[in-house]
Amino acid sequence: MKEVSCRVLDVHFRELKKRGIAPEVWTEGVALPLSLLQNRHERIDWADFAQLMTNLNRIWTPDEIEAQGGSWIDSPFLRYARLLASSVFTPKEFYRWMANGTKKGKKGGGSQMHDCTTTDFKDLGPDRLRLEVRIDEPHAHSPEFFLLVKGGFR
């Protein structure tokens, strides 16, 4: 089904390189070539992504996984988008767009990376909001994915 963009894997490959850890330590149990996983223009099935997320626990602590989610905004892929978004959106508007997009009945911008997740946005008044992220059925639950999301939204 190819629900996940390989762009989201880049942050983990960067962290592995920083620590001198072979990528195969992280990709164990995933029957896809390393070259595919490192190609930002490819997509992979959620099941393979979920296995990669499970493997994160063998390398990093939950706090480190969350920090990796937060560092994704600084990835080369998003640098230009961050500049553009800051000129178009307030922070709250950006989160609303990530969750809801611009067209009724469509998923938001966040679904471009994981098109089997749903994010709900609730405006709680000035300077407050609530985001609820769900993995769509029948895709496997992934606690590590939610740590990354938490770090990314923070």
Side-chain angles (χ1 to χ4, degrees):
M1 298 275 282
K2 311 249 186 236
E3 301 94 346
V4 181
S5 169
C6 288
R7 290 184 189 275
V8 302
L9 306 179
D10 189 50
V11 66
H12 308 297
F13 284 116
R14 285 195 324 258
E15 288 298 317
L16 288 166
K17 187 176 181 177
K18 275 189 211 174
R19 293 192 183 193
I21 300 171
E24 293 79 10
V25 172
W26 178 46
T27 62
E28 185 178 321
V30 176
L32 296 171
L34 193 56
S35 60
L36 183 137
L37 295 171
Q38 292 176 317
N39 184 338
R40 295 178 193 117
H41 302 289
E42 291 288 348
R43 296 183 71 83
I44 61 173
D45 292 339
W46 180 266
D48 291 315
F49 177 74
Q51 180 62 55
L52 290 169
M53 294 300 95
T54 298
N55 291 352
L56 290 176
N57 278 322
R58 291 186 299 132
I59 304 166
W60 294 293
T61 68
D63 288 341
E64 290 170 323
I65 295 169
E66 188 176 324
Q68 286 180 31
S71 71
W72 198 71
I73 195 73
D74 293 324
S75 70
F77 169 64
L78 283 183
R79 282 187 193 134
Y80 80 92
R82 202 174 69 199
L83 291 171
L84 181 62
S86 66
S87 68
V88 175
F89 297 115
T90 65
K92 188 183 277 190
E93 289 169 339
F94 178 74
Y95 284 119
R96 183 186 327 253
W97 175 79
M98 287 293 290
N100 301 331
T102 57
K103 296 181 181 177
K104 190 170 177 102
K106 296 282 186 183
K107 289 187 175 189
S111 68
Q112 293 175 23
M113 298 297 114
H114 311 92
D115 66 9
C116 63
T117 61
T118 301
T119 304
D120 292 323
F121 172 93
K122 179 149 176 99
D123 192 332
L124 301 176
D127 301 324
R128 296 205 50 210
L129 60 92
R130 178 180 21 227
L131 295 166
E132 180 181 299
V133 179
R134 292 184 310 281
I135 301 169
D136 301 337
E137 294 289 333
H139 298 87
H141 179 70
S142 173
E144 299 80 13
F145 168 74
F146 289 109
L147 288 171
L148 291 168
V149 169
K150 181 180 176 184
F153 280 145
R154 187 177 316 155

